[in-house]
Amino acid sequence: MGEEETVQQNIVHSGIQSKADKSPVTVADYGSQILVSLALMMEVSGPFSLVAEEDSEELRKDGAEEILEEITDLVNETLVDDGSYSMSFSKEGILSAIDNGKSEGGPTGQHWVLDPIDGTKGFVRGDQYAIALALLDEGKVVLGVLACPNLPLSSISNPNGSSSGDRIGALFSATIGCGAEVESLDGSPPQKISVCSIDNPVNASFFESYESAHSMHDLTSSIAEKLGVQAPPVRIDSQAKYGALARGDGAIYLRFPHKGYREKIWDHAAGSIVVTEAGGIVTDAAGNNLDFSQGRFLDLDTGIIATNTQLMPSLLKAVQDAIKEKNHAASLL
């Protein structure tokens, strides 16, 4: 993950805070997707299907030559440094590697699902982000990996920093039927993880998206009030929330996007299996399991909730009651 860390540091130091002008955070998005795509091509025998966030459309437009050259140089430098390739990639080869991710996924066959940098705004701030990769087999998530370079390895006492002396950088992984694990990014022995066993909602700390655009914080507050939760929410960018939940740092994850937003499968595929294999449950607001078999988007009811088996019944009731009240209030306006 050295490429993303280097680019992130440059962004933080330079004060760039926007992706709209094709800033270096975009270089990292594209670069990460290219490197994962090339790695999969080397490891997977025969053709493979990749559903990923980025495509080359913007890079093929007039005026994108400079950013494309920067991406090409960065990828080639990275490949030379780790000895993966002896030859360099042309700009057209780079564009082609990005477009390996244009698969539509679906209910049949195997499809890799990638978010090359999940939590873009956290990345820009120097806070939490993740590289998220999952494998779909006949529409079901069967494997997931979350690399969280800024997440403390053992616990998240401070979501944007570390506990005293804690190592930074956590790699979560899960295979269906085999449980979930965490290890350091530099390869410490994997440790089995499990969600917390809290059964009293009053003691249930919860995670939500840092950005209000990604989650309706007023609805989250209403749910917490109904449950009697005392602690304020812990707001973290990216699927790092799923990893933290899976190892018991908190008890509940809530995500309620604003009306009209369609969830993408790469935002939840890897994180959801890490939580479920750690003994947790991930559903939509109606209690339905997430369906990753319908292409690049998740069609779901209102939002996403994740917790342990003990808390899910009371959480579902609080969620549904809060949504009804919100909808009723809106109808009176």
Side-chain angles (χ1 to χ4, degrees), residues 162-305:
S162 67
S163 306
S164 177
D166 196 3
R167 298 169 73 178
I168 298 297
L171 180 66
F172 299 91
S173 60
T175 304
I176 192 164
C178 298
E181 299 177 331
V182 67
E183 60 191 275
S184 67
L185 288 179
D186 56 8
S188 66
Q191 302 291 321
K192 285 285 187 181
I193 56 174
S194 61
V195 295
C196 74
S197 58
I198 290 172
D199 57 7
N200 186 344
V202 173
N203 301 321
S205 59
F206 62 96
F207 300 105
E208 66 180 5
S209 298
Y210 192 101
E211 299 294 331
S212 59
H214 294 166
S215 191
M216 291 183 283
H217 291 165
D218 58 338
L219 183 58
T220 302
S221 297
S222 174
I223 294 165
E225 184 177 348
K226 291 180 182 302
L227 288 171
V229 173
Q230 300 295 318
V234 178
R235 290 175 180 158
I236 317 176
D237 302 284
S238 85
Q239 289 182 68
K241 291 184 289 294
Y242 278 118
L245 182 73
R247 67 181 180 194
D249 291 357
I252 296 169
Y253 165 35
L254 302 173
R255 179 179 169 102
F256 298 100
H258 291 279
K259 188 174 181 179
Y261 181 84
R262 296 186 73 190
E263 294 282 6
K264 290 85 172 176
I265 62 172
W266 52 77
D267 284 326
H268 302 283
S272 64
I273 191 173
V274 168
V275 168
T276 56
E277 283 298 315
I281 305 177
V282 183
T283 73
D284 67 12
N288 303 309
N289 292 330
L290 305 187
D291 183 0
F292 293 94
S293 70
Q294 301 302 308
R296 295 170 72 87
F297 295 95
L298 281 171
D299 292 321
L300 45 78
D301 187 316
T302 308
I304 293 174
I305 59 180

Side-chain angles (χ1 to χ4, degrees), residues 36-100:
V36 174
S37 168
L38 294 175
L40 288 173
M41 289 178 67
M42 287 192 295
E43 296 295 330
V44 177
S45 59
F48 75 99
S49 169
L50 177 64
V51 184
E53 183 171 17
E54 309 298 345
D55 63 49
S56 70
E57 181 180 358
E58 292 297 320
L59 294 177
R60 294 181 185 273
K61 292 180 178 178
D62 291 342
E65 294 84 0
E66 185 176 346
I67 191 88
L68 177 56
E69 184 172 348
E70 187 174 355
I71 294 166
T72 303
D73 290 344
L74 181 61
V75 168
N76 282 324
E77 288 170 11
T78 302
L79 294 174
V80 168
D81 288 344
D82 69 13
S84 298
Y85 284 82
S86 58
M87 57 175 285
S88 61
F89 279 81
S90 66
K91 292 176 183 177
E92 190 57 42
I94 290 296
L95 294 171
S96 177
I98 294 169
D99 286 337
N100 284 338

